[in-house]
Amino acid sequence: MKQSKVAVVTGASRGIGAAVARRLARDGADVVVNYSSNEAAASRVVEEIRRMGRRATAVPANVSRVEELKLLFARTAAEFDRVDILVNNAAVFGACALQNMDQAAFDDMFELNARSVLFASEEAARLMGKSGRIINVSSDLSCMSMHGTSLYAGAKAAIEAFTRVHAAELGPRGITVNAVSPGIIDTDALRAQMTDERIQGIISMTPLGRVGTPEDVADVVAFIASDDSRWITGQVLHVNGGVLMR
Ligand code: NAP
């Protein structure tokens, strides 16, 4: 019998991360469901995965803190022995115009949205065997120039650079590293920052004519996590209904 894969998904209690966790489980993976503070939401995801017959565990860790990240992977190793798939999904959106910038805003954004990706990838790569998949969740804002988004866009641009460099470094070990870059996706984070009117405006510019769902992204992550994506590495896949074409 084929051994099931072990996936670690950061920020998997809600939104895109929760959809990714469920989808990877549906494809046969056991899943470590990382979250920050919403234990009830993480437990619901774990229960759903267990009902699919897969193993799952919820692990609280603020991945901005490298010491908590290390504990997340120590728990993963203790419970599952290894990692096959890492999805670096946890991040926050925050707008801050240049004239209001301070060092704390920079540090907060880069510690969560960029530094966590680097150290989680290092931890996961140590626990991967002869193959593995690292998938970083970026954002279309990394290649746009929307006012107030320099920190968020800069951190996401950084993880796209990590994606290419880590793909080169880890390729010889059979580990692929790719990024998905969502457009607007209907999650708590989106609803917290955009009015219905603004969302309708973006839909009107979207060739496929709707807002994305977490499952739209999860299905692409599942493909990259699968053996079918074996010849793809160092790439950024835009998952956005065509609103931005590159
Ligand atoms: P979301 O609905 O706000 O969910 C965020 C998830 O991350 C939650 O599970 C949350 O845990 C977790 N989290 C937050 N801070 C964390 C921390 N310090 N340590 C560990 N986990 C943490 O977000 P989303 O919209 O699904 O976004 C997911 C990813 O997609 C992010 O990388 C985001 O930048 C990217 N993205 C989203 C959109 C969009 O339109 N939604 C567009 C482009 C890119 P708790 O439940 O415990 O708070």
Side-chain angles (χ1 to χ4, degrees), residues 13-14 16 36-38 61-63 89 91 138 152 156 183 185 187:
S13 47
R14 293 181 288 118
I16 293 169
S36 166
S37 59
N38 197 333
N62 175 356
V63 298
N89 166 77
S138 183
Y152 181 80
K156 292 298 190 181
I185 306 295
T187 66

Side-chain angles (χ1 to χ4, degrees), residues 84-198:
D84 301 293
I85 300 161
L86 167 66
V87 183
N88 281 310
N89 166 77
V92 289
F93 178 79
C96 187
L98 186 58
Q99 64 272 21
N100 302 324
M101 200 67 71
D102 62 22
Q103 195 181 325
F106 179 93
D107 290 347
D108 287 349
M109 182 68 76
F110 274 74
E111 283 169 13
L112 175 54
N113 290 16
R115 191 175 71 180
S116 72
V117 171
L118 196 98
F119 287 100
S121 300
E122 185 212 8
E123 290 286 324
R126 277 196 298 104
L127 294 171
M128 286 176 175
K130 288 200 177 72
S131 65
R133 299 277 186 268
I134 296 175
I135 301 151
N136 300 324
V137 181
S138 183
S139 165
D140 275 1
L141 285 173
S142 69
C143 41
M144 295 167 74
S145 46
M146 194 183 291
H147 285 214
T149 64
S150 58
L151 292 180
Y152 181 80
K156 292 298 190 181
I159 72 168
E160 292 185 10
F162 296 166
T163 299
R164 290 183 282 272
V165 176
H166 295 168
E169 291 179 350
L170 298 173
R173 288 187 44 202
I175 298 170
T176 69
V177 186
N178 290 289
V180 291
S181 178
I184 60 164
I185 306 295
D186 202 350
T187 66
D188 295 346
L190 180 76
R191 295 286 164 182
Q193 68 193 263
M194 272 193 201
T195 60
D196 281 348
E197 199 183 2
R198 176 97 181 91

Side-chain angles (χ1 to χ4, degrees), residues 40-52:
S43 300
R44 281 194 293 276
V45 176
V46 164
E47 282 313 312
E48 281 180 69
I49 293 173
R50 288 182 182 157
R51 280 198 295 275
M52 295 179 210

